[in-house]
Amino acid sequence: MLKCKINGQDVEVAEGSSIIEAFKATGQDIAHYCWHPGLSVAGVCRLCMVEIEGNPRLQIACNTQVQEGMVINNNSDKIKDAVKWGLDFHLINHPLDCPICAQAGECQLQIQYMKFGQYDPEMAERKVKKRKVVDLGPKIVLDTERCILCSRCVRFTDEVSKTNELGIFNRGDHSEIGTVDDRPLDNPYSVNTVDICPVGALTSREFRFQQRVWYLKNETTVCNGCSTGCSTKVYFNEEGMWRVKPDHNDDVNGYWMCDEGRGTPRFVNKDSRLLSAWNGQKDEGQDLEAGAAAKAVGQTLKKVVAEQGSDKVAFVVTGQYTDQENRAFLSLAKDLGVKVYHWVNNPEKMDEFDGLLIRGDKNPNTYGLKEAMKEVGVGSPWSELESSVSDLEYVVVAGPENHFAYSDLTDKVDLFSKANHQVWFVAGDHDVLRAASNKVSLIPTKTYVEKDGTYKNFEGREQRIRRVMTLVPGALSLTEASKLMSGQELLVDGNVSESYRKTNFFSSNERGYL
Amino acid sequence: MEVKILSEHYHKDDFQGLTGYKANGGYEMLKKAFTMKPQEIIDLVKAAGLRGRGGAGFPTGVKWGFLPDNGEPRYLLCNADEGEPGTFKDREMMERAPHQLVEGMIISAFAIGSKKSYIYIRGEYDDSINSCRQAIKEAYDAGLLGKNIMGSGFDHDMDVYCGAGAYICGEETGMISSLEGKKGQPKLKPPFPAVQGYLGKPTIVNNVETLASVIYILRDGVDAYRKYGTEKSPGTKLFSVSGNVVKPGNYEVPLGYPLKDLIFDLCGGLKPGRKLKAVIPGGSSAPILTAEEAMVATLDYENLAQHGSMLGSGAVMVIDDSNCMVDLLGVTLHFYHHESCGQCTPCREGTGWLDKIVHSILDGKGRLQDIDLMDEVAGHMMGRTICALSDAAAMPTLSFLKKFRDEFEFYVREGRSKVKGQAHAQM
Ligand SMILES: Cc1cc2nc3c(=O)[nH]c(=O)nc-3n(C[C@H](O)[C@H](O)[C@H](O)COP(=O)(O)O)c2cc1C
Ligand code: SF4
Ligand code: SF4
Ligand code: SF4
Ligand code: FES
């Protein structure tokens, strides 16, 4: 360890640390655009200037290693002047179209300007004109005028995704981000470049112009897109979830996440959801309250088991639920004495891994499910279900929340249609379910942002997810559903409740209240 | 008086070829080098005090000493990009005496233990490229390159690499990037090239003239070499004189030579009726000297530093009273704006900004505050960037504004040049 002093504060850092890392360790502020902890050092923005005692020249903190006893500051007038000018150089050719810029509100130029700038511009010359609204790929739009050429995005595609699409073309103040021969920037991790772009140069096609970021709240949780379980931040308002970004977690995902995991809003948000329970075929159908429907299913199952035997009912589970839900649901199966079958959505791909983050197992909690099945002592081979399904009275399915990962959904609905009834606990509203040829009951469940619990990722790492919002009032977690089916009452009902209101930021007077 | 050591045989037509070169003592010093230990050569170069002729004047022997002793392959790169405006000395040497460069490089490579070297020549230098290629071919044919050179057991390969004429590829790490097949832009230091250079391996970059000088240090020995020049600037140096003199061209004089004598004796002075206004002593990046300063300055690293300027690449640009300083700065800044690689924000944006301000003044749209603004912008481009191009743009700006402020103020007030019938400078 090395000792040094940062703005008068003593710190110890590991050998080989850069000065900017020492600043981060003390939590002190240091302006920087090009440095990113997950990328190599570029040293081009020249904003992270520091003064080192005994050195007459200012140094950049990102490419200078701490040496024993260094005395470093970045609060002298000399540094303030350097940073102010450093910022000014970034701004002279900047279009300043903040009012129509999707980055406004979380733009590092705006943030630094409020800290170090607040002066009148001195640039009286014509600004450099560059390409705007460049179609960089299916997911990303580029504005080269807003780009500050920090090269983060280039380093990301070189060093992390290793796809090398991006480069800086031309020279001097005509430099521009681009791709070779205008080939698209399209890789499974491409949207990370939007996250690390400090300005509004790279914007996500999905998110741009959707919401002003200062009206969104965010919460950390775990992605349920695959068995890696990246730490994420979900951004939401009362209308729903708008975007997902990675949250730094050295143990799992570092600073990144995949593009697919950002798509969770498409199965979480209200427009794709099953809003109330549904029971019956075509014209007989009617909307039901989820809790009551679950209770009714529980009573029916008990009756069938008592009258016709436990082999007339089968439970089907998926790796989509939390440990707590799995335990409740499996225990219910055990109590009823019925068999449990694990629906593996893409058996051939389950063990695939792309070397960075993406895993073939598109379930967040397969590990936890298997563990729970072992502990509870249930689980029978899938082939057995296939051969016996036509003898069954009821198939009760804990269906997938992320149906995009379940391309075999229709096949399975067809399979379960051979039984007399199928009961689905499911988050999304799917036509294939409503169109099934036997008797179908659908009971809406909560998605991963509407409940608390834990997932165990591919290596068994237990991670917490948390309730961030309620999108479908009345939807049940599998735990709640299991309790109701076994005849217990819920302490807090599934309706939009007082407890939700209390944690709802939108009932506070904070800035950003709509 | 000129002292011709490097340029002694330039006038001989056959000096370009191997036979003529050998007839004038060529490759004798290579033979001698092989009788010495590499470290002895390094020590000799150190003792002779040879300073890099590419611009920075860094002691060559000291630079060679930075190579780590880690058994990795190491590279010698000859910087023949010669991009500094006003400089044309390397070109003349490559065209007239390419073997002098090749021999100097083999000796230097032997001294630092490098098995592979490249001559990085700017793309516009067709003749230099051809003559160097020809010389290398002749050297291979004569067993002066390749395996077991002259039976010494030392192997060395050499190649020419053509740049595309970017000034920034003359900066040593920019050159390395270019040579690696990447966009020619400088790399962050540390690590320095001597530790991690071409392909990540230890690399020495030296100017054409620096490498050729090594031959004559070996030939004449330290004392004879130091007979010329000053204590801190030993030896002779090639100066490329351009501008308003009667006889522009390359002149080899001992360092410490009076600038006045170079202009008025060797170069035949100014055209009749003209008055000396200013001199840029070391390429366009060097701060400008007023006529008074030029009359007393001597051409060595320390004296020019005392005058707030630098010896740089040894390109002396003589400016008489028919030139407008605003116009001249305009041309200079256009160059740096065009050549900035664009990585570092202060350089990328600052060079463009300065260029635009000075051209606003030239267009008659200047504001009085523009002069101070340029001064501030340039001041904040100094010492803040990866390479010295930013400083190279700022230094002339600051010195022009300081020493010829009246011309800038006149231009802003009147919307025209203070110099009547001024000639437009070209670069
Ligand atoms: C912008 C810039 C351009 C340069 N151009 C050249 C050049 O054209 N030729 C050259 O020899 N050195 C040039 N240099 C200096 C080189 O970086 C390097 O210092 C030199 O080649 C080292 O050789 P020397 O020690 O023999 O002088 C340039 C430096 C800068 C910052
Ligand atoms: S990038 Fe930042 S400063 Fe630029 S227009 Fe967008 S919000 Fe404004
Ligand atoms: S697009 Fe964004 S991340 Fe890429 S260089 Fe420009 S500012 Fe940096
Ligand atoms: S100082 Fe200028 S030329 Fe040099 S690396 Fe930076 S931007 Fe490029
Ligand atoms: S953060 Fe150090 S130069 Fe950009």
Side-chain angles (χ1 to χ4, degrees), chain A residues 4-291:
Chain A
C4 65
K5 240 190 180 56
I6 304 263
N7 291 338
Q9 184 183 338
D10 289 309
V11 245
E12 272 194 36
V13 292
E15 210 122 338
S17 301
S18 63
I19 294 178
I20 203 164
E21 285 164 342
F23 267 86
K24 295 279 165 189
T26 62
Q28 300 211 38
D29 227 10
I30 183 161
H32 63 89
Y33 288 148
C34 65
W35 181 78
H36 186 282
L39 301 171
S40 64
V41 173
V44 294
C45 73
R46 316 304 288 188
L47 222 57
C48 63
M49 293 283 180
V50 292
E51 229 173 349
I52 301 169
E53 214 173 82
N55 191 335
R57 280 174 68 118
L58 301 183
Q59 299 293 320
I60 50 170
C62 62
N63 197 45
T64 311
Q65 289 198 351
V66 174
Q67 271 153 23
E68 180 61 31
M70 255 190 186
V71 180
I72 306 152
N73 86 74
N74 77 337
N75 52 15
S76 66
D77 287 344
K78 198 169 162 191
I79 296 287
K80 282 186 188 143
D81 176 68
V83 177
K84 179 206 162 266
W85 272 89
L87 180 63
D88 209 17
F89 282 127
H90 278 91
L91 286 173
I92 58 165
N93 279 309
H94 194 81
L96 292 178
D97 41 19
C98 313
I100 52 155
C101 180
Q103 188 83 359
E106 52 183 10
C107 170
Q108 289 299 320
L109 282 175
Q110 293 180 324
I111 292 166
Q112 297 299 347
Y113 179 79
M114 295 313 283
K115 278 189 196 151
F116 295 98
Q118 307 217 38
Y119 49 80
D120 289 330
E122 290 176 284
M123 166 84 169
E125 314 304 322
R126 199 177 273 270
K127 294 190 180 204
V128 181
K129 285 271 151 238
K130 292 189 195 168
R131 296 180 299 159
K132 291 182 92 73
V133 207
V134 180
D135 228 332
L136 210 53
K139 289 168 262 178
I140 293 167
V141 180
L142 165 70
D143 183 317
T144 59
E145 277 185 348
R146 291 182 196 149
C147 168
I148 56 167
L149 295 161
C150 69
S151 83
R152 279 181 173 188
C153 56
V154 180
R155 282 175 281 147
F156 178 84
T157 52
D158 286 351
E159 298 162 14
V160 183
S161 70
K162 299 201 168 71
T163 45
N164 306 83
E165 293 104 330
L166 293 174
I168 296 177
F169 296 81
N170 297 332
R171 242 182 1 202
D173 58 9
H174 288 275
S175 300
E176 259 186 44
I177 289 291
T179 58
V180 177
D181 297 336
D182 287 331
R183 271 181 238 152
L185 168 63
D186 187 13
N187 66 60
Y189 296 93
S190 65
V191 185
N192 287 297
T193 59
V194 174
D195 299 336
I196 58 177
C197 180
V199 297
L202 295 174
T203 46
S204 141
R205 195 183 295 278
E206 222 156 60
F207 181 67
R208 69 201 304 254
F209 307 140
Q210 295 301 308
Q211 288 291 325
R212 276 310 196 182
V213 294
W214 54 88
Y215 290 131
L216 296 180
K217 298 291 172 191
N218 67 75
E219 275 288 349
T220 52
T221 186
V222 174
C223 178
N224 76 344
C226 82
S227 63
T228 299
C230 295
S231 295
T232 59
K233 270 196 177 132
V234 296
Y235 290 75
F236 61 97
N237 64 12
E238 60 200 357
E239 290 170 48
M241 202 166 139
W242 291 95
R243 67 172 176 187
V244 184
K245 281 179 176 239
D247 195 35
H248 175 218
N249 182 347
D250 274 336
D251 292 329
V252 180
N253 54 312
Y255 298 90
W256 324 115
M257 73 181 292
C258 76
D259 291 355
E260 207 182 317
R262 295 171 196 264
T264 46
R266 43 183 198 153
F267 58 80
V268 165
N269 278 344
K270 222 166 168 172
D271 41 11
S272 64
R273 295 284 295 279
L274 179 64
L275 300 178
S276 55
W278 186 81
N279 182 6
Q281 286 293 74
K282 285 119 202 167
D283 48 321
E284 300 167 36
Q286 53 174 314
D287 288 348
L288 295 172
E289 198 265 312

Side-chain angles (χ1 to χ4, degrees), chain B residues 25-338:
Chain B
Y27 289 107
E28 285 306 314
M29 288 309 115
L30 180 58
K31 208 179 283 170
K32 179 173 175 188
F34 288 141
T35 65
M36 301 169 71
K37 290 205 183 72
Q39 189 57 44
E40 285 174 341
I41 303 174
I42 298 179
D43 292 342
L44 203 63
V45 171
K46 253 188 217 166
L50 174 63
R51 295 175 65 163
R53 304 298 196 226
F58 194 83
T60 306
V62 176
K63 191 195 268 186
W64 291 1
F66 288 153
L67 285 169
D69 205 4
N70 58 4
E72 283 191 312
R74 34 181 72 173
Y75 295 95
L76 175 68
L77 307 182
C78 170
N79 191 341
D81 195 58
E82 197 157 62
E84 182 72 17
T87 320
F88 45 85
K89 64 185 178 68
D90 296 342
R91 171 181 179 176
E92 191 177 23
M93 187 182 302
M94 289 186 285
E95 288 178 11
R96 293 182 191 263
H99 279 288
Q100 189 168 292
L101 173 58
V102 173
E103 182 179 4
M105 283 179 71
I106 306 173
I107 297 173
S108 305
F110 176 67
I112 63 169
S114 161
K115 287 188 166 43
K116 176 84 207 187
S117 62
Y118 292 93
I119 310 176
Y120 187 100
I121 310 179
R122 62 182 288 175
E124 295 97 327
Y125 275 12
D126 278 338
D127 292 344
S128 302
I129 293 165
N130 290 337
S131 59
C132 285
R133 283 204 169 127
Q134 176 65 20
I136 290 173
K137 188 176 171 298
E138 287 174 349
Y140 267 109
D141 291 346
L144 298 165
L145 277 172
K147 294 255 174 286
N148 190 18
I149 301 169
M150 290 172 144
S152 62
F154 178 66
D155 306 336
H156 189 77
D157 286 304
M158 190 181 292
D159 246 320
V160 167
Y161 189 94
C162 310
Y167 176 53
I168 197 57
C169 292
E171 198 280 340
E172 54 187 6
T173 54
M175 196 177 97
I176 290 171
S177 300
S178 168
L179 203 59
E180 287 171 340
K182 301 182 187 138
K183 182 175 178 183
Q185 57 186 25
K187 301 183 185 203
L188 263 187
K189 284 153 268 189
F192 289 92
V195 180
Q196 227 175 300
Y198 180 55
L199 303 178
K201 301 287 181 243
T203 301
I204 292 293
V205 181
N206 276 127
N207 175 255
V208 173
E209 188 185 346
T210 314
L211 291 165
S213 300
V214 173
I215 305 174
Y216 301 101
I217 294 173
L218 234 64
R219 186 186 72 186
D220 303 339
V222 170
D223 292 340
Y225 187 80
R226 280 189 172 273
K227 204 175 92 202
Y228 298 108
T230 68
E231 170 64 26
K232 288 192 175 133
S233 311
T236 61
K237 159 127 193 58
L238 297 164
F239 287 92
S240 308
V241 188
S242 62
N244 309 122
V245 287
V246 174
K247 287 191 290 177
N250 284 321
Y251 294 88
E252 184 173 3
V253 294
L255 287 165
Y257 193 74
L259 178 54
K260 174 171 119 288
D261 294 351
L262 178 68
I263 299 169
F264 290 97
D265 290 352
L266 298 179
C267 296
L270 309 176
K271 283 188 192 148
R274 297 279 176 79
K275 231 177 99 217
L276 185 67
K277 180 162 41 192
V279 179
I280 300 171
S284 65
S285 311
I288 198 162
L289 301 177
T290 60
E292 298 75 55
E293 288 167 331
M295 295 309 276
V296 296
T298 55
L299 293 164
D300 51 85
Y301 297 100
E302 44 302 1
N303 185 277
L304 287 173
Q306 273 169 26
H307 284 100
S309 187
M310 56 192 215
L311 188 76
S313 61
V316 177
M317 293 191 260
V318 183
I319 298 153
D320 72 16
D321 56 358
S322 69
N323 287 282
C324 167
M325 300 313 277
V326 186
D327 177 57
L328 206 57
L329 186 62
V331 176
T332 309
L333 287 176
H334 174 71
F335 172 79
Y336 290 107
H337 179 197
H338 188 260

